[in-house]
Amino acid sequence: MLKKSLALPQDRENIKELTITILGNANSGKSSLVGILANPIFSQVADTILTSFGAELKDTPEVVPSEILDDGNGKSRNPVLQFIHEQKTGRTSSISYNYLVLNKGYKVLSFVDLAGHEAYLKTTIRGVTSSYPDFGFICIEKSITYITKEHIQLLYILGIPFGIIMSKTDLIPKDKIQDNLKKIFRLLKSINLKPYIIKSQSDLALANTGSVCPVFLMSNKTGAGFDKLIPFVNTIEKKPTKIIPNAFVIDSIYTVPGFGLIVSGMSGIEIEKGAELVLGPFSNGQDFDFIKVKVRTMHDDYRNFIDILKPGSRGCLCIKMDAAYKKKLRSGLVLAYKQENVAPVQKFRARIHIFQGTLCTITPGYSAFINTGIVKGCVKFNTVYSDDDEAAKQQKCIRAGNTTIAELEFLKNAYCLTPGEIFIFREGRTIGFGEIL
């Protein structure tokens, strides 16, 4: 579906931008929720909610106009879904960015709608790691599923604060809701989080402390809970530390008639229109090549043409490059001012941990798929050490619950990694995580 550019104030320096991922099992109302929040009419509704927000909140579904609420048949989710097969099945299978503008355009919330079905777990993991979110919401419907636990584990490992949304409260019996709350409370307490149901303004201050996980009871059909959710998201602060390479990391590649080659992604540097950059790494035997490119035009993540792309922002660059390399373009390549600013690697060391209860034993030669930021690829475990000392005796295997040091190698391409980045590795289901050393 073709989306229009987002109208924002001229003084872009004062605009606060936040990214929020929406996760949860299939049919839990994620896309319907995002469809309501991203509806242009809802921006005015949200400002009204923030203006009238009091110390003691009451359920006021009438604050959300019925024309933007869901009808129980997917009305609100259709503008969010990107493909025909998604609209036919009602099942999200891709990564979708949608926006809510608050405070007269000076606050923009980017909601990342992700897939909930297990078949698309790899897409969901990539959506979380590549969007560098500041916060996340996990939607729960009738029961706590395996995917619910997988999503909680994913956000917790990546250090992303999150909240819980108990959706479809108009359909689910109250005793079932209470049963689900008990189960999710027990699950959150097992990872040292304190679940707390948001009921009043005083709850917001408590919910923004590090160990508290806010819980919301909501319905996309009646509008219940939106008067609690909006004041909370208005208090979310930008995540202070995001480990992004000192470059623009390419996520997607397009060819647009009238413009030419377009690359989208996340920038860790400031890029100006007309800038001359280097693009790579392209494997060349034992070495890596970088080629010169020029930025023709660019626009931000809201489809507005800009002259400067700030660090920590997503955007699209129209670039001019050697045509011989166009077929070699891929996700994970970087654009930097100098080749010396990035360090392409085929092999790297990491501290890894295998989840307790995982039926997996890792030995040298074991292969898995990793996601770290925008980078994704298949790696092989070359060597496994017993501790931080490389000279220490090598282990023959790593079992569930173990933490150790390992040397890994990308099987196909080289990538630019940053020490301290967290990656998820999986073989079908998620097996463990690691930290690049």
Side-chain angles (χ1 to χ4, degrees), residues 245-411:
N246 193 26
F248 180 94
V249 188
I250 295 176
D251 190 359
S252 301
I253 302 157
Y254 313 93
T255 300
V256 180
F259 287 90
L261 184 63
I262 308 291
V263 294
S264 69
M266 173 68 77
S267 183
I269 56 175
E270 183 175 294
I271 300 177
E272 295 184 2
K273 179 181 175 181
E276 294 184 351
L277 308 172
V278 292
L279 169 65
F282 297 99
S283 297
N284 180 20
Q286 298 296 321
D287 204 357
F288 307 111
D289 286 341
F290 282 78
I291 63 170
K292 292 182 179 180
V293 302
K294 184 175 182 179
V295 179
R296 289 173 165 174
T297 60
M298 55 188 179
H299 68 69
D300 57 20
D301 207 29
Y302 318 118
R303 302 171 180 83
N304 295 311
F305 284 95
I306 54 175
D307 293 326
I308 298 176
L309 182 66
K310 296 293 184 181
S313 301
R314 293 184 62 87
C316 292
L317 311 181
C318 176
I319 59 174
K320 181 181 180 181
M321 61 175 290
D322 187 343
Y325 283 86
K326 286 187 178 181
K327 290 185 178 180
K328 297 182 180 180
L329 282 178
R330 54 182 168 81
S331 173
L333 292 178
V334 300
L335 289 159
Y337 280 102
K338 296 181 180 179
Q339 183 175 342
E340 295 76 21
N341 294 344
V342 291
V345 295
Q346 193 93 31
K347 299 180 181 180
F348 63 97
R349 292 173 62 248
R351 180 178 292 105
I352 65 171
H353 176 79
I354 304 179
F355 297 136
Q356 189 71 41
T358 302
L359 299 177
C360 175
T361 299
I362 294 179
T363 57
Y366 175 85
S367 296
F369 198 90
I370 73 167
N371 289 88
T372 173
I374 292 175
V375 171
K376 59 176 181 178
C378 191
V379 297
K380 179 178 69 173
F381 285 72
N382 286 337
T383 312
V384 178
Y385 300 100
S386 59
D387 54 30
D388 289 3
D389 185 4
E390 289 190 28
K393 185 178 179 180
Q394 296 182 14
Q395 291 181 233
K396 292 184 178 180
C397 65
I398 316 172
R399 300 187 188 279
N402 289 354
T403 299
T404 188
I405 303 295
E407 181 187 88
L408 293 82
E409 178 182 2
F410 286 108
L411 293 181

Side-chain angles (χ1 to χ4, degrees), residues 43-63:
S43 293
Q44 302 174 6
V45 175
D47 286 336
T48 302
I49 292 174
L50 294 175
T51 302
S52 60
F53 183 61
E56 291 300 325
L57 292 172
K58 297 180 180 180
D59 286 322
T60 53
E62 63 273 8
V63 299

